[in-house]
Amino acid sequence: MFKEKNVLVMVSGSVAAYKSATLVRLLIKSGANVRVGMTTAAQEFITSKTLSILSGNDVLTDLFVGHTSDIVHIDWAKWADIIFVVPATANLIGKLAQGIADDAVTATIMASTADKIIAPAMNDNMLANPAVMRNIATLKKDGWFVIESAVGFLAEGYIAQGRLPEPIDILQQSAVRLRAKNGMLIGKKVIITAGGTREDLDPVRYLTNRSSGKMGYALARAAAEMGAEVALITTIVRENIFGVTNIFVNSAQEMFDVATHEFATADVFISAAAVSDFKPAEIAVHKIKKQADDGLTLNLVQNPDILRTIGQSKKSHQIVIGFAAETQEILVHGQDKLIKKHADMLITNDVSQSDTGFSSDDNAVTILIPNRSPETLPKASKIDIARAIMTRVITLK
Ligand code: PMT
């Protein structure tokens, strides 16, 4: 997202200013050209020298000194593709919301048409102050992406909201929001299942499989990047993605209940979870004990088929997509599942490989769509595969 982009990081006077150094490093690592501007107060917390060395550029601190250009703030404003204000104090937020441009930072921001991201960080009472809340709301209305401050240990020595989120989280959230700006799925609801279901055997044991949830999370991110409202129904806790609501479940029955409920208001359903076909006929109330030298015979019954149920009940505007985890005759089984599950698209993957499929960071898939030739996507990261899948999804209806 940030590769070869001109990114301006504006720093204001908060104890969290030190985190701007990490943000600059992360941006440089992701291939951005980075420049930094600082308010006078910011220089009380971190030196311009540090940020100059990290960004590889002079730091903008003053409108009138130290630069050869006559109208430096206009030059910098034009140069920037993206502006981060990290951290943003109540004072700077107030100025930006009210259109005050009385220093290098505010004048440059006001003169720029770049995408603007702001991350407030301050004392919890300041954050809750009606004037600050009003100003933040104004910035949102003006098109700023506001990164909500986190709940955490404040400099004041107690836990409350006002903490600057970690730079990596700021960057990841910004990447999703910037991509989603003109996304093809704005206004659409996408529900996705992820992870292996867990079928309780007794209070301490369950049956499950090797699914890590990585493919489902990657699809959730890719859909959010296209502007969709995403509900991720997952058995695995991995990460919070902006625009994605995580709904945690355990068993196939729980996943079935949530998925069928959510599908009533959804446009797209993607079944990436490895759903157990079977569950124990009964869950033992107490831990199952060893009986002398005997083994244990389990009596299993079938779970509901979530994909097939949803595929059968879909309305004409709804899109249903399944996966097929196969170890042999992959395309044959995939075509069979495409039809039997009433899917609009079925993605096959070979789960006998150790470097793709279950748990790995990569995957290699073949996309099956009725009346179209199969399309193979060679091995790539799961997020790249997910993005490619989502671009095919928007061609379906
Ligand atoms: O989670 P990862 O470690 O990243 O691994 C990704 C993955 C290999 C799990 C994923 O890419 C994948 O293949 N998911 C589907 C796994 C699966 O259950 O495949 P299946 O061929 O058994 O089922 C076919 C389809 O029916 C799947 O979309 C499945 O979600 C769905 N299904 C299956 C059984 C059932 N009772 N209800 C279902 O909805």
Side-chain angles (χ1 to χ4, degrees):
M1 179 70 225
F2 301 105
K3 197 162 189 275
E4 285 162 25
K5 288 274 162 48
N6 293 339
V7 180
L8 195 46
V9 177
M10 296 301 206
V11 186
S12 63
S14 154
V15 72
Y18 72 95
K19 289 189 182 172
S20 62
T22 309
L23 182 69
V24 168
R25 280 181 65 85
L26 289 171
L27 283 163
I28 296 272
K29 263 177 138 176
S30 62
N33 309 309
V34 182
R35 293 186 190 175
V36 178
M38 299 176 82
T39 63
T40 307
Q43 296 163 65
E44 297 287 330
F45 292 92
I46 180 169
T47 68
S48 60
K49 191 85 187 157
T50 304
L51 293 171
S52 169
I53 291 168
L54 291 177
S55 65
N57 282 304
D58 284 343
V59 170
L60 179 69
T61 54
D62 197 302
L63 276 175
F64 305 107
V65 292
H67 296 274
T68 50
S69 165
D70 286 336
I71 40 173
V72 63
H73 66 291
I74 302 296
D75 290 348
W76 280 49
K78 277 194 198 148
W79 173 86
D81 299 311
I82 301 165
I83 297 179
F84 281 91
V85 182
V86 178
T89 57
N91 181 50
L92 183 55
I93 290 167
K95 284 188 190 178
L96 294 172
Q98 303 308 318
I100 296 169
D102 63 350
D103 64 4
V105 165
T106 49
T108 306
I109 293 171
M110 194 175 285
S112 180
T113 55
D115 288 315
K116 299 186 185 91
I117 296 149
I118 192 161
M122 65 194 75
N123 168 271
D124 55 322
N125 288 330
M126 290 175 87
L127 188 65
N129 182 287
V132 175
M133 288 170 65
R134 246 191 338 265
N135 287 334
I136 291 176
T138 300
L139 290 179
K140 284 184 185 168
K141 251 190 260 149
D142 290 349
W144 284 75
F145 292 150
V146 176
I147 311 274
E148 299 297 332
S149 46
V151 174
F153 196 69
L154 302 182
E156 292 82 346
Y158 55 84
I159 293 174
Q161 188 174 9
R163 213 179 134 76
L164 186 72
E166 292 312 312
I168 185 74
D169 297 331
I170 293 175
L171 218 56
Q172 284 182 353
Q173 187 182 137
S174 304
V176 171
R177 296 178 74 165
L178 288 168
R179 280 181 199 270
K181 213 173 55 154
N182 302 311
M184 298 289 286
L185 290 175
I186 287 175
K188 301 287 179 199
K189 177 172 170 179
V190 175
I191 60 173
I192 299 169
T193 61
T197 55
R198 299 189 187 112
E199 308 301 334
D200 284 346
L201 205 52
D202 67 17
V204 296
R205 304 181 180 98
Y206 53 75
L207 305 176
T208 189
N209 58 62
R210 295 177 197 281
S211 172
S212 64
K214 286 179 185 172
M215 193 66 239
Y217 272 81
L219 285 159
R221 178 178 291 278
E225 286 173 354
M226 294 175 91
E229 172 203 342
V230 183
L232 180 66
I233 306 163
T234 174
T235 61
I236 311 261
V237 180
R238 294 199 74 83
E239 55 179 327
N240 289 318
I241 303 167
F242 187 83
V244 178
T245 304
N246 291 342
I247 305 172
F248 295 105
V249 294
N250 273 307
S251 65
Q253 185 62 52
E254 279 173 35
M255 189 174 270
F256 176 90
D257 292 343
V258 177
T260 48
H261 174 76
E262 291 290 328
F263 187 64
T265 53
D267 300 283
V268 181
F269 171 60
I270 307 179
S271 188
V275 185
S276 175
D277 288 321
F278 303 100
K279 64 178 175 185
E282 280 174 20
I283 304 171
V285 179
H286 297 289
K287 185 180 172 192
I288 300 169
K289 298 283 182 202
K290 275 193 277 189
Q291 300 287 338
D293 290 334
D294 277 357
L296 177 68
T297 303
L298 291 178
N299 186 15
L300 302 179
V301 294
Q302 274 197 24
N303 263 323
D305 190 318
I306 306 168
L307 178 61
R308 202 180 62 212
T309 307
I310 286 181
Q312 276 168 338
S313 71
K314 70 182 175 205
K315 307 251 168 26
S316 59
H317 72 281
Q318 291 177 307
I319 295 172
V320 171
I321 296 162
F323 273 75
E326 305 295 345
T327 54
Q328 56 174 347
E329 293 191 88
I330 289 160
L331 285 189
V332 176
H333 292 306
Q335 290 287 6
D336 188 45
K337 283 178 183 167
L338 178 68
I339 295 162
K340 282 197 179 132
K341 308 242 182 186
H342 305 270
D344 300 294
M345 177 192 285
L346 197 118
I347 298 135
T348 64
N349 43 195
D350 182 348
V351 288
S352 64
Q353 306 299 314
S354 61
D355 59 344
T356 56
F358 282 125
S359 295
S360 78
D361 291 336
D362 298 328
N363 211 354
V365 302
T366 298
I367 298 178
L368 306 176
I369 297 172
N371 308 318
R372 292 196 203 170
S373 305
E375 183 187 6
T376 297
L377 303 180
K379 186 178 162 188
S381 66
K382 280 184 175 162
I383 184 63
D384 283 346
I385 295 279
R387 286 181 183 138
I389 290 169
M390 292 313 300
T391 61
R392 294 354 179 235
V393 170
I394 56 177
T395 68
L396 286 179
K397 278 181 190 169

